[in-house]
Amino acid sequence: MNIEIISTGEELLYGSIEDENGAYIARSLVENGFDIGRHSCVGDDLPHLTNMFKEADGRAQVVIVTGGLGPTLDDRTRSAVAGAFGKRLCFSKLAEKSVNDFFKKRGKDVPESNKSQMTLPDGAVCLENTVGTAPGFSFHTGNSLFYFLPGVPSEMRHMMASHVIPGLVSLNRERRDFFFLRAVSHFGISEAEVDMRLSGLENAFPGIKLGLRAVFPVIHVKLYARGGDTSGLNEQLQSAQDWVLDRTGDYAFSTEDRSLAEEVGLSLIRHKKTLALAESCTGGLISHMLTQVAGSSEYFLFSGVTYSNQSKVRILGVPEELLHDFGAVSEQTVSSMAERARIISGADFGLATSGIAGPGGGSTDKPVGTVFIGLSSQKGTRTIGFKQDYGEREKNKTAFAMTALDFLRRELG
Amino acid sequence: MNIEIISTGEELLYGSIEDENGAYIARSLVENGFDIGRHSCVGDDLPHLTNMFKEADGRAQVVIVTGGLGPTLDDRTRSAVAGAFGKRLCFSKLAEKSVNDFFKKRGKDVPESNKSQMTLPDGAVCLENTVGTAPGFSFHTGNSLFYFLPGVPSEMRHMMASHVIPGLVSLNRERRDFFFLRAVSHFGISEAEVDMRLSGLENAFPGIKLGLRAVFPVIHVKLYARGGDTSGLNEQLQSAQDWVLDRTGDYAFSTEDRSLAEEVGLSLIRHKKTLALAESCTGGLISHMLTQVAGSSEYFLFSGVTYSNQSKVRILGVPEELLHDFGAVSEQTVSSMAERARIISGADFGLATSGIAGPGGGSTDKPVGTVFIGLSSQKGTRTIGFKQDYGEREKNKTAFAMTALDFLRRELG
């Protein structure tokens, strides 16, 4: 079944926002065993919309459109469908009910402007919207089945799950091709290096497709397979994944699509250990990453984001002489920060960062991108340091934070 | 001039990543006074690519394509262009130079696989890539001018700036329509409420288009105008912006597209004040937001991310009785946290959060979404509290952090 996705809206066309809806619909189709021909994106100009709908008619069996169903004058999808396929806009009892119910549940009267949402092109089938004001609809042109969904992500997602996917499944009762995916996440290795190490994979495993995706600073290796033979494909994917792990070694931190912070958290739980941080250049980012994970209070006790030297001394208890003699960005200081964070919080591990995220603050000796990381336990304190400027403060902070977490991940083993 | 954008790649088609390149190219065109017809996105399947290029030929004057120029077998853009327009792939001296120079600068030999990047369709003009291996190219079909750019964002951006935009400007020397944009960012007010308050704007200011964009939890109001009369449009936009500010009042925190953390930082600098934090439920996110801003060390001294009760007592010095009598999530505890953070760090302001981000940890009395925020200065300590669950841990953390920053913004005035 050939399916196309059309996203509408000036904000998308002019790049003010990225097309998250299109990507979501694509993922949802793929996960349910459907293939996709293309996505398109147009503004809310009536002739453009009309042309786009006419073009897709017959080219694809199914067309899924988002946006332009709201109550304002800019919402022109209903009119464009009517124009493209020579239909009148008619009052729809179901659309009326969908809009009325939405406001009724919230104890509000229906505003005058929302009444435009009660009309649909003649022949359309209303798709109820229980989470927003805009009813969706489906429309069969004779050539193609169109679905029109709201542009508000939560409303669109709800309608995909409750109307579109079940509709497509019932259309296509014969055996579908299912889509399988395995992912291995890596840190500390470049995309080119991963690519080189994995060359030959597609020859060794015919039918498996390899995709690399870099989401700074993580390199995701994705293995795709498509077909009807569930257990055969799963076995083949498992062998391919083992082949990958064999070649990328301990740069791989997850085969479950977990974040590095999640993996470190699970490892701390497994080892029954607790963690405290002292963050300077990472400015709270490591704490933020760790506490994104539900249940992190089990192992994460404290982070001292000691941005000023005074707070390093007064709150952590780093000896003033260290800062004076070696500077804040030094092995000596970061080592003391890690140890002090561990001791004052009573944690098993202390992890500390000090460096220069930029754009200012660099020197010849310690340029932007310089960072030291300390890891302290009862066994002692070790440090690592490197210099690598990624050209953006945000990227440098992220790289520093991930390197610190990875240092701990490797220590935990 | 009618311009289309085509993004290629399976990862985009199947929604594994969003089309950031398409959005970037769109913004860059709009900012330079060019209009856009549509974006499309296809996979890396040769027939699909070939069809897409043939379709666009003649429909648009200019077509900008990204992706598929790498060295691997999946990189089929060169072949698709050759197929679509009946050209051979020929060895290009400039493409060879671009690839060779890239590796030479990095002191490396050219890998065998990269030699495929030295061929281009007959008649193409090579666009040098100084930041990556994939040379781009332009190709005129007789109907349309095509630009082919790499899919790696940094390489694509570089080529847009150094080749595409200058090329389009020289093609289009007559007066262009410029595009003007004003943005007002709001926090603490719903999109629906902003929409209601601003109804009538487009009538009051003909020629100005209003766009609302919600990027949780911020509501951006965007005012667009397009035309050749620079000073007239700017004046009109200024009046429209004043009209907006008059209606949204102090929910508006920036007219400069700055983050709330940036605005708070600027305000602290203006008032010559410093800040310390004690974060519980926000887990370092407020510190992270503040330290995303270059120069934040001028006013940001310290954050104690005191996730455990013990660290609240031992490190901040919150009285144990408070935790015992009122619990960690209480006005009394957060008030003490704010005061202690201020005192131990020597800052002018202490800002503290304690709440339940979920999904676990809620109770009947204090459900998920409950948060207390304390703000302490020499004048005393004030607290606010609310209960609002956004259904996701990450959203709750963000809402808590932004509410805390907004509390301080309003205090600073």
Side-chain angles (χ1 to χ4, degrees):
Chain A
M1 191 153 61
N2 181 18
I3 307 182
E4 289 193 11
I5 302 167
I6 300 177
S7 308
T8 72
E10 302 278 296
E11 297 274 310
L12 291 170
L13 184 67
Y14 293 138
S16 308
I17 54 174
E18 285 143 25
D19 187 13
E20 290 178 29
N21 280 351
Y24 177 86
I25 293 172
R27 283 196 303 273
S28 158
L29 290 171
V30 159
E31 283 160 14
N32 283 282
F34 298 105
D35 206 354
I36 303 157
R38 65 169 78 177
H39 308 201
S40 312
C41 169
V42 272
D44 51 26
D45 169 69
L46 196 59
H48 274 116
L49 282 173
T50 309
N51 283 341
M52 189 64 106
F53 297 157
K54 279 189 190 165
E55 264 179 46
D57 182 35
R59 188 174 56 202
Q61 286 166 271
V62 174
V63 183
I64 302 172
V65 183
T66 58
L69 300 183
T72 74
L73 290 176
D74 279 359
D75 292 301
R76 301 198 176 92
T77 295
R78 285 176 295 263
S79 305
V81 176
F85 306 115
K87 299 288 173 186
R88 285 176 314 125
L89 286 176
C90 304
F91 182 78
S92 155
K93 273 213 172 301
L94 276 172
E96 181 192 24
K97 188 179 175 309
S98 179
V99 175
N100 282 343
D101 285 357
F102 176 82
F103 285 100
K104 204 168 155 191
K105 262 191 213 156
R106 285 152 185 84
K108 290 182 180 165
D109 292 334
V110 178
E112 197 53 41
S113 64
N114 290 83
K115 295 197 172 155
S116 64
Q117 295 177 302
M118 299 176 185
T119 66
L120 296 180
D122 196 16
V125 177
C126 179
L127 307 175
E128 197 195 359
N129 186 341
T130 52
V131 294
T133 67
F137 59 98
S138 66
F139 181 80
H140 207 299
T141 64
N143 303 310
S144 303
L145 171 62
F146 281 75
Y147 284 98
F148 295 93
L149 313 181
V152 177
S154 59
E155 302 178 24
M156 178 280 295
R157 286 172 191 221
H158 197 263
M159 235 174 254
M160 274 300 289
S162 57
H163 297 294
V164 181
I165 295 293
L168 296 179
V169 168
S170 74
L171 263 182
N172 211 42
R173 289 207 180 280
E174 74 271 34
R175 195 173 59 81
R176 281 175 286 152
D177 266 6
F178 281 90
F179 186 83
F180 299 90
L181 175 65
R182 292 286 174 97
V184 185
S185 309
H186 299 84
F187 175 74
I189 184 169
S190 73
E191 186 174 7
E193 176 69 24
V194 173
D195 193 36
M196 220 185 62
R197 292 190 184 202
L198 302 188
S199 74
L201 181 138
E202 292 187 358
N203 287 333
F205 299 91
I208 290 188
K209 243 188 112 145
L210 169 68
L212 294 194
R213 181 183 165 199
V215 182
F216 183 82
V218 173
I219 308 296
H220 297 281
V221 169
K222 301 213 165 183
L223 302 170
Y224 305 91
R226 180 184 283 279
D229 170 18
T230 310
S231 74
L233 283 175
N234 263 329
E235 239 172 71
Q236 223 192 331
L237 275 172
Q238 185 59 52
S239 312
Q241 181 176 300
D242 293 343
W243 192 92
V244 169
L245 289 171
D246 206 47
R247 275 152 187 86
T248 57
D250 61 1
Y251 292 110
F253 64 81
S254 182
T255 55
E256 310 287 334
D257 228 0
R258 292 196 190 105
S259 71
L260 184 52
E262 256 179 300
E263 289 289 351
V264 166
L266 287 171
S267 198
L268 286 165
I269 290 174
R270 258 198 318 273
H271 289 85
K272 297 193 171 59
K273 298 287 183 194
T274 57
L275 174 65
L277 307 172
E279 300 189 65
S280 187
C281 58
T282 49
L285 177 55
I286 306 178
S287 324
H288 173 52
M289 286 172 167
L290 287 165
T291 60
Q292 287 297 79
V293 183
S296 42
S297 55
E298 200 173 327
Y299 44 83
F300 175 58
L301 304 185
F302 167 72
S303 174
V305 185
T306 49
Y307 229 52
S308 66
N309 277 350
Q310 205 187 21
S311 64
K312 291 181 182 75
V313 174
R314 275 169 52 164
I315 299 166
L316 291 179
V318 171
E320 212 159 356
E321 313 84 73
L322 280 185
L323 288 163
H324 182 266
D325 294 350
F326 304 102
V329 180
S330 64
E331 281 191 294
Q332 292 81 354
T333 297
V334 89
S335 173
S336 167
M337 285 168 67
E339 196 183 348
R340 295 298 308 159
R342 178 176 68 80
I343 291 170
I344 65 172
S345 66
D348 297 307
F349 287 102
L351 184 64
T353 59
S354 189
I356 301 154
S363 64
T364 325
D365 195 29
K366 293 173 185 173
V368 169
T370 304
V371 66
F372 293 97
I373 294 164
L375 178 58
S376 171
S377 70
Q378 271 197 313
K379 290 192 288 181
T381 301
R382 292 189 302 132
T383 63
I384 50 173
F386 67 90
K387 293 178 192 185
Q388 169 83 54
D389 180 14
Y390 292 95
E392 283 170 38
R393 179 180 180 80
E394 193 166 343
K395 279 194 168 174
N396 285 338
K397 267 179 76 178
T398 304
F400 297 168
M402 292 284 286
T403 306
L405 285 172
D406 202 52
F407 191 17
L408 176 57
R409 174 182 74 88
R410 287 166 181 267
E411 172 75 20
L412 288 162
Chain B
M1 190 151 63
N2 181 18
I3 307 182
E4 289 192 13
I5 303 167
I6 299 176
S7 308
T8 73
E10 302 278 296
E11 296 275 309
L12 290 170
L13 183 67
Y14 294 139
S16 308
I17 53 173
E18 284 143 26
D19 186 14
E20 290 177 30
N21 280 351
Y24 177 87
I25 293 172
R27 284 196 302 274
S28 157
L29 290 171
V30 158
E31 282 159 16
N32 283 282
F34 298 105
D35 206 354
I36 302 156
R38 66 169 74 179
H39 309 199
S40 311
C41 170
V42 272
D44 52 25
D45 168 70
L46 196 59
H48 274 117
L49 282 172
T50 309
N51 283 341
M52 189 65 106
F53 297 157
K54 279 189 187 166
E55 266 180 44
D57 182 34
R59 186 175 56 202
Q61 286 167 272
V62 173
V63 183
I64 303 173
V65 183
T66 58
L69 300 181
T72 74
L73 289 176
D74 279 358
D75 292 300
R76 303 197 176 93
T77 295
R78 285 177 294 262
S79 304
V81 175
F85 306 115
K87 300 286 173 188
R88 285 178 314 126
L89 285 176
C90 303
F91 182 77
S92 155
K93 276 217 170 295
L94 276 171
E96 181 191 26
K97 187 179 176 312
S98 179
V99 176
N100 283 343
D101 284 358
F102 176 84
F103 285 101
K104 203 169 158 191
K105 263 191 212 156
R106 286 153 184 83
K108 290 180 180 168
D109 291 335
V110 179
E112 197 53 41
S113 64
N114 292 82
K115 294 196 171 155
S116 64
Q117 296 177 302
M118 299 176 184
T119 65
L120 296 180
D122 196 16
V125 177
C126 178
L127 308 174
E128 195 195 359
N129 187 343
T130 53
V131 293
T133 66
F137 60 99
S138 66
F139 181 78
H140 208 301
T141 64
N143 303 309
S144 304
L145 173 62
F146 281 75
Y147 284 99
F148 296 92
L149 313 181
V152 178
S154 58
E155 301 177 26
M156 177 279 295
R157 288 171 190 221
H158 197 262
M159 235 174 252
M160 273 300 289
S162 57
H163 297 292
V164 182
I165 296 292
L168 295 180
V169 169
S170 75
L171 263 182
N172 210 41
R173 289 209 179 278
E174 74 271 35
R175 195 171 59 83
R176 280 175 286 151
D177 265 7
F178 281 92
F179 186 83
F180 299 90
L181 176 65
R182 292 287 174 96
V184 185
S185 310
H186 300 83
F187 175 74
I189 184 169
S190 74
E191 186 173 7
E193 176 69 23
V194 173
D195 193 35
M196 220 185 60
R197 292 190 184 202
L198 302 187
S199 74
L201 182 139
E202 291 187 358
N203 287 332
F205 299 92
I208 290 189
K209 241 186 114 147
L210 169 68
L212 294 193
R213 182 184 163 199
V215 182
F216 182 82
V218 173
I219 309 296
H220 297 281
V221 169
K222 302 216 164 180
L223 302 171
Y224 305 90
R226 180 185 284 279
D229 170 17
T230 310
S231 75
L233 283 175
N234 264 328
E235 240 171 68
Q236 224 192 330
L237 275 173
Q238 186 59 53
S239 312
Q241 182 175 300
D242 293 343
W243 192 93
V244 169
L245 290 171
D246 207 44
R247 274 151 187 86
T248 57
D250 61 0
Y251 292 111
F253 64 81
S254 182
T255 55
E256 310 288 333
D257 229 358
R258 291 195 191 106
S259 70
L260 184 53
E262 258 178 300
E263 289 289 350
V264 165
L266 288 171
S267 198
L268 286 165
I269 290 175
R270 260 198 316 275
H271 289 85
K272 297 191 170 61
K273 299 287 184 194
T274 56
L275 174 64
L277 306 172
E279 300 189 66
S280 187
C281 58
T282 50
L285 177 55
I286 307 179
S287 325
H288 173 51
M289 285 172 167
L290 286 166
T291 61
Q292 287 296 81
V293 183
S296 43
S297 56
E298 199 173 327
Y299 44 83
F300 175 57
L301 304 185
F302 167 71
S303 174
V305 184
T306 49
Y307 228 53
S308 66
N309 278 349
Q310 204 187 22
S311 64
K312 291 181 182 75
V313 174
R314 275 170 53 166
I315 299 166
L316 291 179
V318 172
E320 211 159 356
E321 312 85 73
L322 280 186
L323 289 163
H324 182 266
D325 295 350
F326 304 101
V329 180
S330 64
E331 280 191 293
Q332 292 82 354
T333 297
V334 90
S335 173
S336 168
M337 286 167 67
E339 196 183 348
R340 294 298 309 159
R342 177 175 68 79
I343 290 170
I344 65 172
S345 65
D348 297 307
F349 287 102
L351 184 64
T353 59
S354 188
I356 300 152
S363 64
T364 324
D365 194 30
K366 293 174 184 170
V368 169
T370 304
V371 67
F372 292 97
I373 295 164
L375 178 58
S376 172
S377 70
Q378 271 199 312
K379 289 192 289 181
T381 301
R382 291 190 303 132
T383 63
I384 50 172
F386 67 90
K387 292 177 193 184
Q388 169 83 54
D389 179 16
Y390 292 94
E392 282 170 38
R393 180 183 180 80
E394 193 165 344
K395 280 194 168 174
N396 285 338
K397 267 180 76 178
T398 304
F400 298 167
M402 293 285 284
T403 306
L405 285 172
D406 201 52
F407 192 16
L408 176 58
R409 175 183 73 91
R410 286 166 181 266
E411 172 75 21
L412 288 162

